[in-house]
Amino acid sequence: SARRVAPGLHDAGMRTELDRAVEAIARNQHGAFHRDQAIASGFNSGTIAWRLEKGLWLPLDRGVYATASSPPTWKRKVMAATLARIAVS
């Protein structure tokens, strides 16, 4: 099971195992990922909110985010719309 990490660890510039897991998902989805994927990777509402607040993740659509390092391509935009639609289905 994934380890839960306090959000403040990013203040020290540390990327966690959880961050690497979500980054791997995002890389395979043109930089986008769904909230459910982040939670399945071990994140919780607080750690998600913290990353959004700090600008480490960017909101793209309802429940869909991107890593701040991913380029804003049309493929990312299409993937975000797809992930948002799948979650509603």
Side-chain angles (χ1 to χ4, degrees):
S1 80
R3 210 170 33 115
R4 296 209 185 267
V5 179
L9 287 178
H10 266 285
D11 294 337
M14 294 175 62
R15 282 177 44 247
T16 68
E17 292 174 39
L18 303 182
D19 290 304
R20 286 188 287 276
V22 166
E23 289 164 4
I25 292 167
R27 269 194 307 277
N28 289 322
Q29 297 177 164
H30 305 289
F33 60 96
H34 194 274
R35 177 182 185 86
D36 292 346
Q37 292 175 305
I39 289 172
S41 296
F43 284 93
N44 60 41
S45 294
T47 55
I48 291 170
W50 188 86
R51 280 160 179 77
L52 289 166
E53 179 183 312
K54 296 296 181 185
L56 299 169
W57 293 356
L58 309 172
L60 299 180
D61 206 322
R62 174 179 247 157
V64 180
Y65 314 114
T67 57
S69 61
S70 71
T73 65
W74 67 269
K75 289 179 181 182
R76 187 180 82 175
K77 190 173 186 173
V78 170
M79 180 58 75
T82 302
L83 290 168
R85 183 159 290 211
I86 289 170
V88 172
S89 299

